[in-house]
Every structure is written in C-alpha cells, then in structure tokens.
Amino acid sequence: MSDALTIRAITRQDYDRWLPLWDGYNAFYGRSGATALPAEVTATTWSRFFDAYEPVHAVVAESGGTLLGLAHYLFHRTTTAIAPLCYLNDLFTADAARGKGVGRALIEAVYDEARRAGSPRVYWQTHETNTVAQALYDKVAERSGFIVYRKTM
C-alpha cells in the first residue's frame, strides 16, 4: 500500500465500496449463492450503522480512495459488568490487503471505540478453520477458552 491507511467511521457515501467487502465477508463464511443472506438483512445491517438508537457501528480501512477492510461491532449489556461489552461482530479485509496490517488496525480502532465507551472488554469469535486470522488474533488478544453452542430457530 503506497498510500497511508486511514481507519474511520463508515459514512452513507461508502455503500458502493462497502458492499463488495460485505459480500466477500459473507462468501468467506459460506453465505453466498443459494445460502446468501437475504437482501433485507444487508439493507437492515447497513441502516443500523446510521441509527442513533442502534448499538451497531462500523469502521472501514481506506487507502488511496479504496476501502480495504471493514469492522462491525456492537455494545451490549451483560450480567457480569455495569458497562456494556463490545462484541466485534464482523472483521474482513480485501484479499490484496491481507498481511499488511489492515486487520490489526481495524481491531485497534474497535479497541479505541470500546475504551471511549467505557467498555471493559472487546471479544469476538472466529471459525476454528480460520487459522490465518487466528495468527493475528493470538497477537492482539487472548483466547477465552469458551466454546460456542448455538441452535438455529
């Protein structure tokens, strides 16, 4: 990357550059083709970033006018702390930006937002097969040891 990397809050004008990253993120996790998210989910996700009543936020990584990555995060209450926790819901970088510090910069930006909000913890999940991402995550956070269970309704 010859141009400086900027991490910033997403704006409404970013939609056309955000959407390919969002689609890439969903494809990475097998949500494409017949299993793609409904368009309504994408539209609702996008609108939540700009709704002051929603706890969902987004930052993007930009260089030379190109969006290279995204991070979506949200704040939620918990029974183990007074201040809300920060959940890093989605993190994705374009293929060309991998291994160049974009993912780390996005994580650090979420850490900064969590500190500003008084959140005592940032946490996230990744798939057990996502070993490339885990190499970064092991450098910037600690594994909690928790196993995730879920039931689709």
Side-chain angles (χ1 to χ4, degrees), residues 80 88 107 112 145 149:
T80 59
L88 175 54
I107 291 168
D112 289 343
Y149 290 86

Side-chain angles (χ1 to χ4, degrees), residues 15 18 22 38-48:
Y15 182 79
W18 167 85
W22 175 241
E40 180 183 22
V41 172
T42 293
T44 300
T45 296
W46 178 256
S47 70
R48 286 176 175 160

Side-chain angles (χ1 to χ4, degrees), residues 63-138:
S63 180
T66 300
L67 293 188
L68 302 174
L70 59 78
H72 305 151
Y73 60 98
L74 58 96
F75 294 99
H76 68 86
R77 296 178 192 269
T78 180
T79 59
T80 59
I82 304 283
L85 300 184
C86 181
Y87 177 61
L88 175 54
N89 202 111
D90 311 311
L91 177 70
F92 184 76
T93 61
D95 287 341
R98 299 228 170 102
K100 297 181 179 175
V102 175
R104 180 187 291 261
L106 286 162
I107 291 168
E108 293 293 338
V110 172
Y111 287 171
D112 289 343
E113 292 301 321
R115 281 186 203 96
R116 274 192 275 286
S119 181
R121 180 169 59 238
V122 175
Y123 71 103
W124 62 93
Q125 305 175 66
T126 193
H127 196 272
E128 63 188 12
T129 60
N130 194 358
T131 56
V132 172
Q134 288 175 49
L136 168 61
Y137 301 161
D138 288 342

